[in-house]
Amino acid sequence: MKTKLILLLVSVFHIALTKAQETAMSSAEITSFKQAVVAEAQKIKTLKTDFVQYKHLDFLSKEITSSGSMLLKNPNKLLWKYNTPIQYGILFKDNKVLVNDQGKKNKVDLGNNKKFEKINKMIIGSISGDLFAADDFTITFHKNRNQRIAKLSPKTKELSAYIQTIVLYFNDQQSTVSEVQLIEPSKDYTKIVFKNKQINQPISDALFSF
């Protein structure tokens, strides 16, 4: 069950790198970009956003599309709620992860599973953009006409078993992530596009429950 859940959590975040032509950022651009993103991430206390997820599997001719909403309340509350095509939820709270699959609930203690702990930190850091200081990744910085891009490759075998690359897209003039993409070693991927983002609006603790 744990292996399936790890793959399920990782599948919340994957995709291919087929974007507009990219060029590498200069050293000055990287410094300025990192400073802006880190400064913004440190300000985030709560984040609420809708999302659309596109899952590509090599054996399927069409992507699997789903949508829902995400709530983040620092330091340790994160809730993904899928509304279509099925009701599904993943809740990270107080060092535990709870999955609600159409009413069927399973719980895992993050404190007893280092893989889940790393994935939890990765997910929260991916959303806020606060992954640049992570020792577990090698990071390169790029840009295209409308976006700035950070590509993170895991250094550890533990993470590399599930993730080949995390790609964070930041739309111009924004210092929070607009799109998260992860590529699996198998080349299957998922893309999540955020919309209707609200930062530092009140979010009740009661919402972080099933």
Side-chain angles (χ1 to χ4, degrees):
M1 179 265 180
K2 288 186 177 181
T3 299
K4 290 182 179 179
L5 186 52
I6 289 172
L7 293 172
L8 185 60
L9 294 173
V10 171
S11 75
V12 170
F13 291 97
H14 304 42
I15 186 171
L17 302 177
T18 53
K19 285 286 182 178
Q21 185 175 1
E22 299 173 6
T23 58
M25 288 189 192
S26 68
S27 296
E29 287 173 327
I30 292 172
T31 298
S32 176
F33 172 59
K34 288 173 66 175
Q35 288 175 344
V37 172
V38 171
E40 184 67 26
Q42 290 174 344
K43 295 177 185 177
I44 294 176
K45 305 302 180 185
T46 67
L47 191 152
K48 179 179 181 180
T49 182
D50 298 324
F51 67 85
V52 179
Q53 175 180 299
Y54 306 90
K55 175 67 178 177
H56 172 84
L57 298 171
D58 187 58
F59 60 87
L60 294 179
S61 59
K62 292 184 178 180
E63 292 180 331
I64 301 171
T65 303
S66 54
S67 63
S69 60
M70 188 277 296
L71 299 177
L72 170 69
K73 190 170 186 178
N74 281 322
N76 60 359
K77 294 182 177 66
L78 173 65
L79 173 64
W80 291 89
K81 292 185 70 174
Y82 290 80
N83 299 320
T84 60
I86 62 172
Q87 297 284 322
Y88 188 89
I90 305 173
L91 173 63
F92 295 89
K93 180 180 178 182
D94 300 329
N95 214 34
K96 297 183 185 298
V97 57
L98 180 65
V99 175
N100 187 343
D101 185 357
Q102 302 179 85
K104 184 179 180 180
K105 301 177 183 179
N106 291 298
K107 183 183 292 185
V108 174
D109 189 338
L110 289 174
N112 294 328
N113 193 305
K114 294 299 181 183
K115 291 176 184 169
F116 279 108
E117 185 178 12
K118 286 181 179 291
I119 290 170
N120 181 42
K121 291 179 180 179
M122 181 196 75
I123 293 173
I124 292 176
S126 296
I127 296 163
S128 65
D130 192 19
L131 273 181
F132 296 161
D135 293 332
D136 292 331
F137 299 94
T138 298
I139 309 174
T140 58
F141 297 90
H142 311 263
K143 62 182 179 179
N144 60 33
R145 186 173 63 179
N146 301 311
Q147 296 167 308
R148 295 166 296 174
I149 305 155
K151 299 180 182 180
L152 298 89
S153 300
K155 295 180 181 179
T156 66
K157 292 182 179 179
E158 192 173 42
L159 286 177
S160 296
Y162 304 101
I163 306 160
Q164 177 176 297
T165 310
I166 304 171
V167 187
L168 308 180
Y169 284 89
F170 300 76
N171 289 338
D172 275 350
Q173 310 305 317
Q174 294 186 10
S175 298
T176 56
V177 176
S178 57
E179 183 177 320
V180 176
Q181 307 174 350
L182 275 80
I183 307 168
E184 301 175 29
S186 67
K187 305 303 182 182
D188 288 336
Y189 61 82
T190 302
K191 171 176 69 176
I192 294 183
V193 179
F194 299 111
K195 58 182 182 178
N196 305 323
K197 193 183 303 179
Q198 300 177 42
I199 296 175
N200 291 339
Q201 297 298 311
I203 298 178
S204 171
D205 287 342
L207 294 177
F208 295 91
S209 62
F210 290 140

